[in-house]
Amino acid sequence: MLLASDLHPGIAIGRGAAWLLVGGCVLASLQAARRPAATAQPDAGWSPALIAALVLAWQVLTYLWHAPVLMPGAPWILERAAAAVCAWGLASWCAGRDLDGAARGLCGAGAVVLIVAALSDLFAPIAGVLGAEAPFGLSNFNVAAAMPLLGVGRLLLRRGRLSFSTAALVVLGWMALFIVALRLSHDGLGYHLHLHEGVRGAMVEALAMGGLAVLFLLPRDVHLPGVVLAALLLLGGEAYVVAGRVDTTAFAPSTLQRVFLWRSGCEAVMRAPLMGYGPGSAVAVLNQQPSFPAAWLSVPSYPEHAHQELLETLLDGGLINLALLGWLGWATLAPLWRRRERPIAQALLIGWAGFLSHAMLEVGLSQPGPVLMFSLLAGVSWAVGAAVTEPESTAPRRASTPAPALATLRQLLAAVAGLQVALALSVFLFGEMRGHLGRLAVGSVSELQLRAASVSERAAQDGNAGAQVKAIAQLRSLVGPLDILDYQQASLLQQISPGQLHQAVGPARPSAAPGAATACAPASAVRCGA
């Protein structure tokens, strides 16, 4: 993890974790090449890995069909595809092995992430609320990604199922979690603990995990009603705030920004409810909505995502995407829920409670680190779900034994698919290190903006306003109409002649200023090159 963070520091926050996804894809391909022909099949019907492939296929289709911008959808799809391959490879590797050992590995991974984050915070602090950036990116995402894994370890530790070394690692991980949370609670670099914006998601996550752990202590008959009631309270409370039924004047600026971003997201979803806009479209879609100006006034920034996984799912692929992800969630969680009296299934369900509750406040799947942690949790859950699906008594586990030729073909296709995903993600990451793939600039929205700002700064030093306008136009073609671009362009247009403008951006007229009639146009109006 430390090595991955040093491959290209300072480019995209936490992008080094994506190299671990590449390594995971290679290992999954090797596992596919040596997997035996007969493998246990869960009773849930379709394999969760196959459903995940359908989800990815739909997201690729919507991205290629009508995504308004190229970035950040491309890296999101590649990282999610790599996560699916890693999860499948881990589940395949765990089949027939000690599943308690796999759970110990989960909590160990979460502990290591938080320990590295704590060390980064303590020994390489930088000014600002979020502190130093660990290999997995922003510290609040570290906490969000690792807490479910530590929750798994905490429950197994209580049941006496961890070795001394793993238990020590879990304890250190919880200590590191406290250190990181303490840093997130500081006022800048001060040491005044208060309810800060940086830990709000972690607090909701901790409450959800603790609440489910307490619920499991109660009679079995109250488990499902309790979970449904808690989910309705969380969703209903969020909807109540978004609907304007709560006085938001006392909210912190970034919390208030999220409320208006959620309203913008709801407005955007109503425009394209069935198919959405394509992965990574929030940056070009949300700022087209009537409620967005209030979000921008709260915190002047662009919306790289919707800050809520449910809304992001609908923006990425509409109700079809939501239905496919719901199917995947059912195939993953239903086998665990049916055997929740088993410590390992119960521990994994508590981990998922943390992940899903945090998803109501953030979009962890937009960051490589949480995506990797998600793949580990999913892979072990798939393996445990397949192992505990059959009743504990009588019938042996159902197995699939295809013909040797068909089994060999499946193994070959799975291995090749894993290597292709690893290759595609590697090519993108190397291109990101260079800043471009061929003539196409690639990267996250923030790094593309930083590179454009660097080009513009050099052009300003040379007195070349035309080059500055060209940099703005190129950035808009990749990520859509960021809020600050029109203001920057308007100030530059006073300094150049029409001939310089034509040379910089071509014959097209400059875009309208924010607030004009085009501000609420459909997202297709800002498609690349439009």
Side-chain angles (χ1 to χ4, degrees):
M1 297 177 186
L2 288 171
L3 176 62
S5 69
D6 291 331
L7 286 175
H8 54 294
I11 303 299
I13 294 175
R15 186 71 78 196
W19 287 104
L20 299 181
L21 286 170
V22 173
C25 288
V26 174
L27 293 176
S29 296
L30 295 176
Q31 174 64 23
R34 59 186 293 270
R35 188 180 60 172
T39 56
Q41 298 294 327
D43 272 351
W46 285 52
S47 164
L50 183 57
I51 302 173
L54 292 177
V55 174
L56 286 167
W58 176 250
Q59 292 187 2
V60 170
L61 177 62
T62 56
Y63 176 77
L64 296 176
W65 189 359
H66 64 176
V69 288
L70 293 176
M71 304 294 165
W76 286 10
I77 290 174
L78 290 173
E79 288 163 359
R80 293 169 185 179
V85 172
C86 290
W88 176 86
L90 180 59
S92 178
W93 181 83
C94 288
R97 296 178 183 268
D98 176 21
L99 294 177
D100 281 349
R104 290 194 292 270
L106 272 185
C107 61
V112 168
V113 169
L114 285 173
I115 290 171
V116 172
L119 292 176
S120 300
D121 265 354
L122 290 175
F123 297 111
I126 61 174
V129 173
L130 294 176
E133 303 306 343
F136 278 63
L138 297 175
S139 295
N140 55 346
F141 281 105
N142 288 329
V143 171
M147 273 183 64
L149 276 60
L150 281 185
V152 172
R154 172 65 184 87
L155 184 64
L156 294 180
L157 179 61
R158 184 168 63 85
R159 300 297 178 89
R161 290 175 175 264
L162 294 181
S163 64
F164 174 79
S165 59
T166 308
L169 187 61
V170 171
V171 172
L172 289 174
W174 279 103
M175 293 174 61
L177 173 63
F178 176 77
I179 293 173
V180 175
L182 189 66
R183 294 287 298 178
L184 287 171
S185 300
H186 295 161
D187 183 11
L189 294 179
Y191 291 90
H192 302 291
L193 184 64
H194 61 281
L195 182 59
H196 197 276
E197 303 158 73
V199 294
R200 66 187 155 215
M203 290 181 63
V204 172
E205 195 171 358
L207 287 174
M209 294 169 64
L212 186 57
V214 171
L215 187 65
F216 281 149
L217 299 176
L218 301 178
R220 184 184 177 93
D221 292 342
V222 304
H223 291 176
L224 183 59
V227 169
V228 172
L229 178 60
L232 289 177
L233 286 175
L234 181 58
L235 288 171
E238 198 165 351
Y240 195 74
V241 173
V242 172
R245 303 299 181 87
V246 175
D247 181 14
T248 58
T249 55
F251 284 10
S254 73
T255 301
L256 187 60
Q257 181 205 35
R258 279 164 169 74
V259 173
F260 288 111
L261 285 179
W262 296 339
R263 291 180 185 174
S264 301
C266 293
E267 292 162 356
V269 168
M270 293 300 292
R271 293 174 178 270
L274 186 61
M275 298 182 61
Y277 301 91
S281 60
V283 68
V285 173
L286 294 188
N287 56 17
Q288 305 282 305
Q289 308 310 317
S291 294
F292 183 77
W296 191 87
L297 289 174
S298 301
V299 178
S301 65
Y302 50 83
E304 191 163 351
H305 50 74
H307 288 279
Q308 213 260 20
E309 201 76 63
L310 179 61
L311 280 175
E312 191 66 39
T313 296
L314 292 169
L315 290 171
D316 285 356
L319 291 171
I320 296 176
N321 193 38
L322 181 63
L324 289 172
L325 281 171
W327 186 15
L328 176 60
W330 174 265
T332 300
L333 299 179
L336 300 178
W337 183 260
R338 287 194 291 267
R339 291 294 180 268
R340 59 188 179 278
E341 70 279 357
R342 299 189 178 186
I344 188 171
Q346 193 174 119
L348 290 169
L349 287 170
I350 291 175
W352 281 109
F355 173 81
L356 294 174
S357 60
H358 188 267
M360 294 297 100
L361 297 173
E362 269 299 351
V363 181
L365 295 183
S366 66
Q367 307 289 324
V371 168
L372 176 60
M373 296 291 99
F374 169 79
S375 72
L376 297 179
L377 183 61
V380 176
S381 297
W382 294 351
V384 172
V388 303
T389 295
E390 295 293 342
E392 297 181 18
S393 55
T394 61
R397 294 170 63 206
R398 181 162 50 92
S400 165
T401 310
L406 182 58
T408 301
L409 179 61
R410 287 180 178 178
Q411 289 176 265
L412 179 61
L413 290 177
V416 170
L419 290 176
Q420 286 180 331
V421 172
L423 178 62
L425 183 54
S426 298
V427 169
F428 179 87
L429 292 174
F430 278 116
E432 188 177 41
M433 292 166 62
R434 298 176 58 196
H436 60 88
L437 283 175
R439 300 181 61 184
L440 176 66
V442 297
S444 67
V445 178
S446 55
E447 64 185 307
L448 289 173
Q449 185 182 10
L450 287 173
R451 288 171 183 157
S454 177
V455 172
S456 180
E457 183 178 354
R458 290 196 301 269
Q461 292 174 353
D462 296 336
N464 189 348
Q468 292 178 267
V469 174
K470 184 176 182 180
I472 292 173
Q474 290 175 339
L475 182 59
R476 180 183 283 107
S477 71
L478 287 169
V479 298
L482 299 184
D483 316 284
I484 61 171
L485 297 185
D486 291 305
Y487 297 103
Q488 292 177 349
Q489 180 173 281
S491 64
L492 291 169
L493 291 180
Q494 303 174 11
Q495 307 173 31
I496 63 177
S497 66
Q500 289 176 307
L501 175 63
H502 185 281
Q503 184 179 6
V505 299
R509 294 169 55 192
S511 62
T518 57
C520 297
S524 58
V526 294
R527 189 178 178 85
C528 297

